[in-house]
Amino acid sequence: MKEFKTEQLRNLGVVAHGGAGKTSLVEAMLYTAGATSRLGSVDEGNTLSDYNEDEISRKISISASLLHLEWKNSKINLVDMPGYADFIGEVVSGLRVTETALILISALSGVEVGTEQVWSIAEKYGISRAFFINKLDKEHAEFDKVVTEAQKRFGHQAIPLQIPIGEGINFKGIVDLVRMKAYLFEGLEAKEDKIPQELEEKAKKDKEKLVEAVAEAEDSLLEKYFEKGTLTEEEFKIGLRQGIIEHKIFPIFCGSATNGWGVKLLLEHVVDFFPSPADFGELKCKEYGSDKEKVLKISVNSPLAALIFRIISEPHVGELSFFKVFSGKLKTGEDVFNSVTNTAERIGQIYAMNGRERRETGFVIAGDLGAVVKLKNTHTGDTLCDKKDPIVLPAIGFPDPVIRLAIRAKAKGDEEKIANGFSKLHEEDPTFLMEVDADIKQTIIYGQGELHLEIIVDRLKRKFGVEAEIEKPKIPYRETIKAKTEAQGKYKRQSGGRGQYGDCWLRVEPLGRGEGFQFEKEIVGGAVPSKYIPAVEKGVVEAMNEGVVAGYKMTDLKVTIYDGTYHAVDSSDLAFKIAGSMGFKKATAGAKPVLLEPVYNVEVTVPEEFMGDVMGDLSSRRGRILGMESDSSFQKIKALVPLAELYKYSTSLRSLTQGRGLHSRSFSHYEEVPKEIAEKIIKESQETKEKEEK
Ligand SMILES: Nc1nc2c(ncn2[C@@H]2O[C@H](COP(=O)(O)OP(=O)(O)OP(=O)(O)O)[C@@H](O)[C@H]2O)c(=O)[nH]1
Ligand SMILES: [Mg+2]
C-alpha cells in the first residue's frame, strides 16, 4: 500500500436517517475503487461494513464501521454509521473525526427527522456537509421534490451538482453539472455522453445557479462574476472547493447505491472538491493540566494528538481502539501518554480497517484514521499524546439516555458477571449506562431506545455467557411534607441495670422543591447537651430514608430540634437516635405528608402531520406542553412529563409517527403526585410490604 500525505486524505462520515442506503453506498464505493472484489449487499448480509451478528440478522447497521479505499492518489476513509435513532451515539463519535458529513437522503422519503438530526450534529462540529440523494432507481423516486425539501430545510447553499436522467424505472443516467456531461449507466459502469437534448435547457439553468452560488461563496469571485457574468472553469473549481470547505456550499449528488450508479462520479468529486484534514490548518486543544487553549498545526511534524473515538472487543481479536491522529504520527512500539487517564501506553499493532477486515500498517499520520490493539487504560474520547508535549483534545459529548429499564439476573449468583459484562459493553458504547439503584433496589440500565438495550442484553449473553431479564423499572418516588408541625420523641427504657433515656422536641417544616434536607438546633440552656444532637439528626435521617407515606425517601424539609430533656446517667447516643427517629415520625405524620415523583423535560421532534397525535398522547401521559417551535416541516414540542408515564415512550412515539418521531429527555424536578395516583402507589407499596413480611 502506498503512503499518503495529509493533503491526500479525505475523511467522510456517512450518515442519514435509518435505511437510506449508507451501508450499500459504502460497499459500492469500495467495490468501485477495487478495495473489494465482490459487491456485497445488506439484504444478503455480506457487506464489509455490517458484519456483526446483530447487524446481519436485523439487516440494519448498529455500530459505526471504519473502511477505506484508494482513489486517484488519495485515500478516502469512510465511517459508515447507523441511521436508527437508538444508535445516535455512533454518529456523535463518528462525525467528530471526519471533515465531511456525507448525508444520504432517500429519493422516496425525502428529508426525515434523522436527516435533521445528523445535520445538526455535523453543524455543531462545524464540518463540511454534502448530500447524496439515493434510491433514484426506485418507483416513486422524486429528485426535484427532495432537492426542494433539502433547500427549504438546509438553505439554498444546498445545491445540486448533478441531475438525474429519468427517475424510478426510467433512471438511466446522470448529468454532471461540474463537467456538463452526461453519464449513461451500463451495468455497474457509466459511459460518458453529451447531455440529452431534453435536459439541455435545465442543465444550463442549473449550472448557472451553481456558478452563482460558487461566486457568492467568495467575495473575490463575486466581483469577477459581476464583471464578466460568469467564472472561468478554473475559478469555478477553486471556488467550489473553497465553498464546500467553508460550509458555504453543500453539494447535492445523486444515484443508486445498490446499482453502483453515480458512485464513481461521487468518488471523483470527493477527491477534487472535498476538504482534506490539512485544509483546516490548525487544531484547537487544551494544554495538559490547565484550561489554556493551545493551537497545533495539523501536520505530521507537529506533536502527537490522537483521539480515541470508538472501542470494540471481538472474539479472537480482543479489544481494538479506533483513533484519529489529528496531528503528528502514531507508530507501533512507541510510548505515548493518555492525558485524560494519566497513563502511559505502549502502542501495539496498528491497522487500517475495512469493516471486518484489517491490515497492519505500523503507523498512522496526521489526518488519518486507524485502529490499535488493546490499550491498558484508555477509553472512548481520550487523548493520546506525546509525554513531552502533553495536550488534551475536547472530549466527545454523548447524548443523555432516553430510556431506562430494570434487569435481573436469570440465574441467581450471576449478578457480578452481569455487572462486569455491562461495564465492558459500556466501554464499547458510552451511551449505554448501568447503575445499581439502592433506593428502589433494582439494577437499572439506560440507553437510547428499546432496541439499543435489547441488543446490549443480547450481547451480554453472546459475549459473556450470562443472561439478564428485563423488567419494568420502579420509579424513584420521594416523600415530603406540606405543613409545619411539632412533636415530641421520647425514648425511655428501664430494664435492670442502666436505663435508656432520650427526649427531644422537633419541629418539621416544608422546604422548596430541590432544597433537600436541613437540620437546625435551637436548644437553649443545654436542655439537650450538644453531644447528643448529632445522634438525634442521625435518627431523623434514618427515619427519612424509610418514609412515612409509602416507604420512599423523604426530602425537601427542615427539622429543628428546639427542646428536650436528658438524664445524667441513662442518656446515650443510641437513646437520642431512637428519640429523634420517633419524634420525626410523629411530627411528619401530622405534617400532611405527600408523595413526589420525578418529572422530566421531554423534547419531541416530529413531522408536522403527527403534531396533533403526539400532543394528545403527551397529555394522556399527564404531560404539560411548555411550547412548540416550528422548523420548516418539523415541529419541536417541549413538555414536562412524569417519569412514570415515560415507560417505553420511544417505542410508542415510533409507532405513533411511523418511525419519524424522535425524543430526548432530561431530569427536571420532583413534583407532587396527583391524589388518585398516589393512592394507587401507596396501596401497591403496602401490598409488597405485606408480601415481604409473610
Ligand atoms: N432499490 C434500491 N434499494 C436500495 C438502494 N440503496 C439501498 N437500498 C436498499 O435499502 C435497504 C437499506 O439499505 P442500507 O444500505 O442497509 O441502508 P443504511 O442507510 O445503511 O441503513 P442503516 O445503517 O440501518 O440506517 C436495503 O434493503 C438496500 O438493499 C438503492 O439505491 N436502490
Ligand atoms: Mg447501514
Side-chain angles (χ1 to χ4, degrees), residues 14-26 41-44 47 49-50 55 58-62 80-84 87 104 108 132-139 255-261:
V14 186
V15 286
H17 190 84
K22 300 172 286 293
T23 302
S24 307
L25 181 66
V26 164
S41 112
V42 172
D43 308 295
E44 281 165 35
T47 59
S49 178
D50 284 359
E55 296 179 319
R58 290 182 172 85
K59 293 192 177 26
I60 57 167
S61 301
I62 289 169
D80 175 23
M81 289 173 243
Y84 208 82
F87 313 112
L104 271 71
L108 283 80
F132 185 87
I133 298 181
N134 188 34
K135 302 196 183 180
L136 275 165
D137 60 307
K138 283 192 97 160
E139 212 179 331
S256 162
T258 39
N259 289 294
W261 294 341

Short mmCIF file of all heavy atoms in Angstrom, two decimals, residues 14-26 41-44 47 49-50 55 58-62 80-84 87 104 108 132-139 255-261, ligand 1:
data_model
loop_
_atom_site.label_atom_id
_atom_site.label_comp_id
_atom_site.label_asym_id
_atom_site.label_seq_id
_atom_site.Cartn_x
_atom_site.Cartn_y
_atom_site.Cartn_z
N VAL A 14 -20.43 8.87 6.81
CA VAL A 14 -21.62 8.59 6.01
C VAL A 14 -22.81 8.43 6.96
O VAL A 14 -22.84 7.52 7.78
CB VAL A 14 -21.42 7.32 5.15
CG1 VAL A 14 -22.60 7.11 4.22
CG2 VAL A 14 -20.12 7.43 4.36
N VAL A 15 -23.73 9.39 6.86
CA VAL A 15 -24.83 9.46 7.83
C VAL A 15 -26.18 9.66 7.14
O VAL A 15 -26.23 10.11 6.00
CB VAL A 15 -24.59 10.63 8.82
CG1 VAL A 15 -23.49 10.30 9.80
CG2 VAL A 15 -24.28 11.93 8.09
N ALA A 16 -27.24 9.35 7.85
CA ALA A 16 -28.60 9.53 7.31
C ALA A 16 -29.62 9.01 8.29
O ALA A 16 -29.27 8.38 9.29
CB ALA A 16 -28.77 8.75 6.00
N HIS A 17 -30.85 9.22 7.97
CA HIS A 17 -31.97 8.55 8.64
C HIS A 17 -31.82 7.05 8.34
O HIS A 17 -31.20 6.67 7.36
CB HIS A 17 -33.27 9.09 8.04
CG HIS A 17 -34.49 8.68 8.79
ND1 HIS A 17 -34.93 9.37 9.89
CD2 HIS A 17 -35.36 7.65 8.61
CE1 HIS A 17 -36.03 8.79 10.35
NE2 HIS A 17 -36.31 7.76 9.59
N GLY A 18 -32.41 6.23 9.18
CA GLY A 18 -32.28 4.78 9.00
C GLY A 18 -32.69 4.30 7.61
O GLY A 18 -33.68 4.76 7.05
N GLY A 19 -31.89 3.38 7.07
CA GLY A 19 -32.26 2.72 5.84
C GLY A 19 -32.15 3.52 4.56
O GLY A 19 -32.65 3.10 3.51
N ALA A 20 -31.45 4.67 4.59
CA ALA A 20 -31.34 5.48 3.37
C ALA A 20 -30.38 4.88 2.35
O ALA A 20 -30.36 5.28 1.19
CB ALA A 20 -30.92 6.91 3.73
N GLY A 21 -29.56 3.93 2.81
CA GLY A 21 -28.66 3.26 1.87
C GLY A 21 -27.18 3.51 2.12
O GLY A 21 -26.35 3.30 1.23
N LYS A 22 -26.81 3.93 3.32
CA LYS A 22 -25.41 4.24 3.65
C LYS A 22 -24.49 3.05 3.45
O LYS A 22 -23.47 3.14 2.77
CB LYS A 22 -25.31 4.69 5.12
CG LYS A 22 -26.12 5.93 5.44
CD LYS A 22 -26.14 6.21 6.93
CE LYS A 22 -27.02 5.26 7.73
NZ LYS A 22 -28.44 5.35 7.49
N THR A 23 -24.88 1.94 4.08
CA THR A 23 -24.00 0.77 4.00
C THR A 23 -23.88 0.29 2.56
O THR A 23 -22.79 -0.09 2.10
CB THR A 23 -24.55 -0.34 4.92
OG1 THR A 23 -24.62 0.20 6.25
CG2 THR A 23 -23.68 -1.57 4.92
N SER A 24 -24.98 0.36 1.82
CA SER A 24 -24.94 -0.04 0.41
C SER A 24 -24.03 0.89 -0.38
O SER A 24 -23.27 0.44 -1.24
CB SER A 24 -26.35 0.00 -0.19
OG SER A 24 -27.24 -0.76 0.57
N LEU A 25 -24.09 2.18 -0.08
CA LEU A 25 -23.26 3.14 -0.82
C LEU A 25 -21.78 2.91 -0.50
O LEU A 25 -20.94 2.91 -1.40
CB LEU A 25 -23.66 4.57 -0.47
CG LEU A 25 -22.86 5.66 -1.20
CD1 LEU A 25 -23.14 5.62 -2.70
CD2 LEU A 25 -23.15 7.05 -0.66
N VAL A 26 -21.48 2.70 0.76
CA VAL A 26 -20.09 2.47 1.16
C VAL A 26 -19.56 1.21 0.46
O VAL A 26 -18.44 1.18 -0.06
CB VAL A 26 -19.99 2.36 2.70
CG1 VAL A 26 -18.68 1.75 3.13
CG2 VAL A 26 -20.18 3.74 3.33
N SER A 41 -24.14 -7.16 -0.35
CA SER A 41 -25.42 -6.47 -0.19
C SER A 41 -25.96 -6.66 1.23
O SER A 41 -25.75 -7.71 1.86
CB SER A 41 -26.42 -6.97 -1.24
OG SER A 41 -27.45 -7.70 -0.64
N VAL A 42 -26.62 -5.61 1.70
CA VAL A 42 -27.17 -5.63 3.05
C VAL A 42 -28.21 -6.74 3.17
O VAL A 42 -28.29 -7.46 4.17
CB VAL A 42 -27.81 -4.27 3.38
CG1 VAL A 42 -28.57 -4.32 4.69
CG2 VAL A 42 -26.76 -3.18 3.41
N ASP A 43 -28.99 -6.89 2.11
CA ASP A 43 -30.07 -7.88 2.15
C ASP A 43 -29.53 -9.30 2.25
O ASP A 43 -30.16 -10.18 2.82
CB ASP A 43 -30.97 -7.72 0.92
CG ASP A 43 -31.44 -6.27 0.79
OD1 ASP A 43 -32.16 -5.83 1.68
OD2 ASP A 43 -31.02 -5.57 -0.16
N GLU A 44 -28.34 -9.51 1.67
CA GLU A 44 -27.76 -10.85 1.76
C GLU A 44 -26.85 -11.00 2.96
O GLU A 44 -26.31 -12.07 3.23
CB GLU A 44 -26.99 -11.18 0.48
CG GLU A 44 -27.94 -11.59 -0.63
CD GLU A 44 -27.27 -11.55 -1.99
OE1 GLU A 44 -26.06 -11.87 -2.04
OE2 GLU A 44 -27.94 -11.17 -2.96
N THR A 47 -22.04 -7.54 3.49
CA THR A 47 -21.26 -6.32 3.25
C THR A 47 -20.05 -6.32 4.18
O THR A 47 -20.03 -6.99 5.21
CB THR A 47 -22.09 -5.06 3.54
OG1 THR A 47 -22.53 -5.10 4.91
CG2 THR A 47 -23.31 -4.96 2.64
N SER A 49 -19.17 -3.78 5.82
CA SER A 49 -19.44 -2.85 6.90
C SER A 49 -20.36 -3.41 7.98
O SER A 49 -20.09 -3.28 9.17
CB SER A 49 -20.03 -1.60 6.27
OG SER A 49 -20.37 -0.68 7.23
N ASP A 50 -21.46 -4.05 7.57
CA ASP A 50 -22.40 -4.62 8.56
C ASP A 50 -22.04 -6.09 8.78
O ASP A 50 -22.66 -6.97 8.22
CB ASP A 50 -23.85 -4.54 8.04
CG ASP A 50 -24.42 -3.14 8.15
OD1 ASP A 50 -23.71 -2.24 8.63
OD2 ASP A 50 -25.59 -2.95 7.76
N GLU A 55 -26.13 -7.14 13.28
CA GLU A 55 -26.41 -6.36 12.08
C GLU A 55 -26.93 -7.25 10.95
O GLU A 55 -27.86 -6.88 10.23
CB GLU A 55 -25.14 -5.63 11.64
CG GLU A 55 -24.68 -4.62 12.67
CD GLU A 55 -23.41 -3.87 12.31
OE1 GLU A 55 -22.47 -4.49 11.77
OE2 GLU A 55 -23.34 -2.67 12.56
N ARG A 58 -30.53 -8.43 11.69
CA ARG A 58 -31.57 -7.39 11.66
C ARG A 58 -31.56 -6.57 10.37
O ARG A 58 -32.43 -5.75 10.15
CB ARG A 58 -31.41 -6.45 12.85
CG ARG A 58 -31.75 -7.10 14.17
CD ARG A 58 -31.61 -6.12 15.31
NE ARG A 58 -32.10 -6.66 16.56
CZ ARG A 58 -31.38 -7.42 17.40
NH1 ARG A 58 -30.14 -7.71 17.10
NH2 ARG A 58 -31.90 -7.87 18.51
N LYS A 59 -30.51 -6.76 9.57
CA LYS A 59 -30.36 -6.01 8.32
C LYS A 59 -30.33 -4.49 8.54
O LYS A 59 -30.87 -3.72 7.74
CB LYS A 59 -31.47 -6.37 7.32
CG LYS A 59 -31.38 -7.80 6.80
CD LYS A 59 -32.34 -7.95 5.63
CE LYS A 59 -32.36 -9.25 4.92
NZ LYS A 59 -32.00 -10.46 5.53
N ILE A 60 -29.75 -4.08 9.63
CA ILE A 60 -29.53 -2.65 9.86
C ILE A 60 -28.13 -2.48 10.44
O ILE A 60 -27.56 -3.43 10.99
CB ILE A 60 -30.55 -2.02 10.86
CG1 ILE A 60 -30.49 -2.76 12.20
CG2 ILE A 60 -31.94 -2.01 10.30
CD1 ILE A 60 -31.22 -2.02 13.32
N SER A 61 -27.57 -1.28 10.30
CA SER A 61 -26.28 -1.02 10.94
C SER A 61 -26.52 -0.69 12.40
O SER A 61 -27.49 0.00 12.73
CB SER A 61 -25.56 0.14 10.26
OG SER A 61 -25.35 -0.13 8.91
N ILE A 62 -25.64 -1.18 13.24
CA ILE A 62 -25.79 -0.94 14.68
C ILE A 62 -24.58 -0.19 15.22
O ILE A 62 -24.70 0.69 16.05
CB ILE A 62 -26.01 -2.28 15.41
CG1 ILE A 62 -27.41 -2.79 15.06
CG2 ILE A 62 -25.83 -2.11 16.92
CD1 ILE A 62 -27.69 -4.18 15.48
N ASP A 80 -18.99 4.39 8.23
CA ASP A 80 -20.39 4.06 7.93
C ASP A 80 -21.14 3.98 9.24
O ASP A 80 -20.90 3.11 10.06
CB ASP A 80 -20.46 2.71 7.20
CG ASP A 80 -21.90 2.26 6.97
OD1 ASP A 80 -22.79 3.13 6.95
OD2 ASP A 80 -22.13 1.04 6.82
N MET A 81 -22.06 4.92 9.43
CA MET A 81 -22.74 4.99 10.72
C MET A 81 -24.17 4.48 10.64
O MET A 81 -24.78 4.54 9.59
CB MET A 81 -22.70 6.43 11.21
CG MET A 81 -21.29 6.79 11.63
SD MET A 81 -21.13 8.50 12.02
CE MET A 81 -19.99 9.04 10.76
N PRO A 82 -24.68 4.00 11.75
CA PRO A 82 -26.07 3.56 11.75
C PRO A 82 -27.02 4.74 11.62
O PRO A 82 -26.65 5.86 11.98
CB PRO A 82 -26.25 2.89 13.11
CG PRO A 82 -25.01 3.11 13.88
CD PRO A 82 -24.04 3.88 13.06
N GLY A 83 -28.22 4.49 11.12
CA GLY A 83 -29.19 5.56 10.97
C GLY A 83 -30.32 5.48 11.99
O GLY A 83 -30.99 6.45 12.26
N TYR A 84 -30.48 4.30 12.54
CA TYR A 84 -31.52 4.08 13.54
C TYR A 84 -31.24 4.97 14.75
O TYR A 84 -30.13 5.00 15.26
CB TYR A 84 -31.48 2.60 13.94
CG TYR A 84 -32.80 2.06 14.40
CD1 TYR A 84 -33.75 1.65 13.48
CD2 TYR A 84 -33.08 1.95 15.75
CE1 TYR A 84 -34.97 1.14 13.91
CE2 TYR A 84 -34.29 1.43 16.18
CZ TYR A 84 -35.23 1.03 15.26
OH TYR A 84 -36.43 0.53 15.69
N PHE A 87 -28.97 4.47 17.89
CA PHE A 87 -27.51 4.38 17.84
C PHE A 87 -26.85 5.71 17.52
O PHE A 87 -25.77 5.78 16.95
CB PHE A 87 -27.09 3.28 16.84
CG PHE A 87 -27.88 2.02 17.06
CD1 PHE A 87 -28.79 1.58 16.13
CD2 PHE A 87 -27.74 1.32 18.25
CE1 PHE A 87 -29.56 0.45 16.36
CE2 PHE A 87 -28.49 0.19 18.49
CZ PHE A 87 -29.41 -0.26 17.54
N LEU A 104 -26.98 11.03 3.30
CA LEU A 104 -27.84 10.40 2.30
C LEU A 104 -29.29 10.79 2.55
O LEU A 104 -29.71 10.90 3.70
CB LEU A 104 -27.72 8.88 2.36
CG LEU A 104 -26.62 8.26 1.48
CD1 LEU A 104 -25.26 8.59 2.06
CD2 LEU A 104 -26.81 6.77 1.35
N LEU A 108 -37.24 8.58 -2.01
CA LEU A 108 -38.65 8.27 -1.78
C LEU A 108 -39.18 8.99 -0.54
O LEU A 108 -40.27 9.53 -0.55
CB LEU A 108 -38.84 6.76 -1.57
CG LEU A 108 -38.80 5.90 -2.82
CD1 LEU A 108 -37.37 5.65 -3.25
CD2 LEU A 108 -39.51 4.60 -2.57
N PHE A 132 -26.26 13.06 -0.77
CA PHE A 132 -26.37 12.09 -1.85
C PHE A 132 -27.82 11.62 -1.85
O PHE A 132 -28.27 10.99 -0.89
CB PHE A 132 -25.42 10.92 -1.60
CG PHE A 132 -25.38 9.91 -2.74
CD1 PHE A 132 -24.51 10.09 -3.81
CD2 PHE A 132 -26.22 8.80 -2.73
CE1 PHE A 132 -24.48 9.16 -4.86
CE2 PHE A 132 -26.19 7.87 -3.78
CZ PHE A 132 -25.31 8.06 -4.84
N ILE A 133 -28.54 11.99 -2.89
CA ILE A 133 -29.94 11.55 -2.98
C ILE A 133 -29.94 10.17 -3.62
O ILE A 133 -29.55 9.99 -4.77
CB ILE A 133 -30.80 12.57 -3.77
CG1 ILE A 133 -30.76 13.91 -3.00
CG2 ILE A 133 -32.23 12.06 -3.93
CD1 ILE A 133 -31.58 15.01 -3.60
N ASN A 134 -30.35 9.20 -2.80
CA ASN A 134 -30.18 7.79 -3.16
C ASN A 134 -31.52 7.15 -3.57
O ASN A 134 -32.57 7.75 -3.43
CB ASN A 134 -29.58 7.06 -1.95
CG ASN A 134 -29.19 5.64 -2.28
OD1 ASN A 134 -28.76 5.35 -3.40
ND2 ASN A 134 -29.32 4.74 -1.31
N LYS A 135 -31.43 5.95 -4.05
CA LYS A 135 -32.58 5.13 -4.43
C LYS A 135 -33.38 5.75 -5.58
O LYS A 135 -34.61 5.60 -5.64
CB LYS A 135 -33.52 4.90 -3.23
CG LYS A 135 -32.83 4.25 -2.03
CD LYS A 135 -33.84 3.69 -1.04
CE LYS A 135 -33.12 3.13 0.17
NZ LYS A 135 -34.00 2.57 1.18
N LEU A 136 -32.66 6.46 -6.47
CA LEU A 136 -33.37 7.07 -7.60
C LEU A 136 -33.91 6.04 -8.57
O LEU A 136 -34.73 6.35 -9.43
CB LEU A 136 -32.44 8.06 -8.32
CG LEU A 136 -32.44 9.44 -7.67
CD1 LEU A 136 -31.29 10.28 -8.15
CD2 LEU A 136 -33.77 10.16 -7.95
N ASP A 137 -33.47 4.78 -8.42
CA ASP A 137 -33.95 3.72 -9.30
C ASP A 137 -35.32 3.21 -8.86
O ASP A 137 -35.97 2.45 -9.57
CB ASP A 137 -32.97 2.54 -9.27
CG ASP A 137 -32.83 1.98 -7.85
OD1 ASP A 137 -32.54 2.78 -6.94
OD2 ASP A 137 -33.05 0.77 -7.66
N LYS A 138 -35.72 3.61 -7.66
CA LYS A 138 -36.98 3.03 -7.14
C LYS A 138 -38.20 3.80 -7.61
O LYS A 138 -38.16 5.02 -7.79
CB LYS A 138 -36.95 3.01 -5.61
CG LYS A 138 -36.09 1.88 -5.08
CD LYS A 138 -36.30 1.67 -3.61
CE LYS A 138 -37.28 0.56 -3.32
NZ LYS A 138 -37.15 0.04 -1.95
N GLU A 139 -39.26 3.06 -7.79
CA GLU A 139 -40.52 3.68 -8.21
C GLU A 139 -40.89 4.77 -7.20
O GLU A 139 -40.65 4.61 -6.00
CB GLU A 139 -41.61 2.60 -8.24
CG GLU A 139 -42.63 2.87 -9.31
CD GLU A 139 -43.70 1.77 -9.35
OE1 GLU A 139 -43.38 0.62 -9.00
OE2 GLU A 139 -44.82 2.09 -9.73
N GLY A 255 -27.87 9.24 -7.19
CA GLY A 255 -27.56 7.93 -7.74
C GLY A 255 -28.35 6.82 -7.11
O GLY A 255 -29.40 7.05 -6.49
N SER A 256 -27.83 5.63 -7.28
CA SER A 256 -28.45 4.44 -6.69
C SER A 256 -27.33 3.56 -6.15
O SER A 256 -26.51 3.02 -6.91
CB SER A 256 -29.25 3.69 -7.75
OG SER A 256 -29.47 2.37 -7.31
N ALA A 257 -27.29 3.44 -4.83
CA ALA A 257 -26.19 2.74 -4.17
C ALA A 257 -26.12 1.27 -4.56
O ALA A 257 -25.06 0.77 -4.91
CB ALA A 257 -26.34 2.88 -2.66
N THR A 258 -27.26 0.59 -4.53
CA THR A 258 -27.23 -0.85 -4.78
C THR A 258 -26.86 -1.18 -6.23
O THR A 258 -26.36 -2.26 -6.51
CB THR A 258 -28.59 -1.51 -4.44
OG1 THR A 258 -29.62 -0.63 -4.88
CG2 THR A 258 -28.72 -1.74 -2.95
N ASN A 259 -27.06 -0.22 -7.13
CA ASN A 259 -26.67 -0.44 -8.52
C ASN A 259 -25.29 0.11 -8.82
O ASN A 259 -24.79 -0.03 -9.93
CB ASN A 259 -27.68 0.22 -9.46
CG ASN A 259 -29.01 -0.50 -9.46
OD1 ASN A 259 -29.09 -1.64 -9.90
ND2 ASN A 259 -30.04 0.13 -8.93
N GLY A 260 -24.72 0.79 -7.83
CA GLY A 260 -23.40 1.39 -8.04
C GLY A 260 -23.47 2.63 -8.94
O GLY A 260 -22.45 3.13 -9.40
N TRP A 261 -24.65 3.14 -9.19
CA TRP A 261 -24.81 4.27 -10.11
C TRP A 261 -24.51 5.60 -9.43
O TRP A 261 -25.03 5.88 -8.36
CB TRP A 261 -26.22 4.30 -10.69
CG TRP A 261 -26.52 3.13 -11.58
CD1 TRP A 261 -25.60 2.31 -12.18
CD2 TRP A 261 -27.81 2.63 -11.95
NE1 TRP A 261 -26.24 1.34 -12.91
CE2 TRP A 261 -27.59 1.51 -12.78
CE3 TRP A 261 -29.12 3.01 -11.66
CZ2 TRP A 261 -28.63 0.77 -13.34
CZ3 TRP A 261 -30.17 2.28 -12.21
CH2 TRP A 261 -29.92 1.18 -13.04
N1 LIG B 1 -33.57 -0.07 -4.91
C1 LIG B 1 -32.64 0.39 -4.13
N2 LIG B 1 -32.52 -0.10 -2.90
C2 LIG B 1 -31.54 0.40 -2.11
C3 LIG B 1 -30.66 1.39 -2.57
N3 LIG B 1 -29.81 1.66 -1.56
C4 LIG B 1 -30.14 0.87 -0.54
N4 LIG B 1 -31.19 0.10 -0.87
C5 LIG B 1 -31.86 -0.89 0.00
O1 LIG B 1 -32.32 -0.21 1.15
C6 LIG B 1 -32.17 -1.04 2.30
C7 LIG B 1 -31.32 -0.32 3.32
O2 LIG B 1 -30.02 -0.18 2.81
P1 LIG B 1 -28.76 0.03 3.75
O3 LIG B 1 -27.59 0.22 2.87
O4 LIG B 1 -28.70 -1.01 4.78
O5 LIG B 1 -29.17 1.40 4.41
P2 LIG B 1 -28.45 2.11 5.63
O6 LIG B 1 -28.66 3.55 5.45
O7 LIG B 1 -27.05 1.63 5.75
O8 LIG B 1 -29.31 1.57 6.86
P3 LIG B 1 -28.96 1.75 8.41
O9 LIG B 1 -27.49 1.69 8.53
O10 LIG B 1 -29.62 0.63 9.10
O11 LIG B 1 -29.52 3.07 8.79
C8 LIG B 1 -31.55 -2.33 1.83
O12 LIG B 1 -32.58 -3.24 1.63
C9 LIG B 1 -30.92 -1.96 0.50
O13 LIG B 1 -30.85 -3.02 -0.40
C10 LIG B 1 -30.82 1.90 -3.88
O14 LIG B 1 -30.11 2.77 -4.34
N5 LIG B 1 -31.83 1.36 -4.60
#
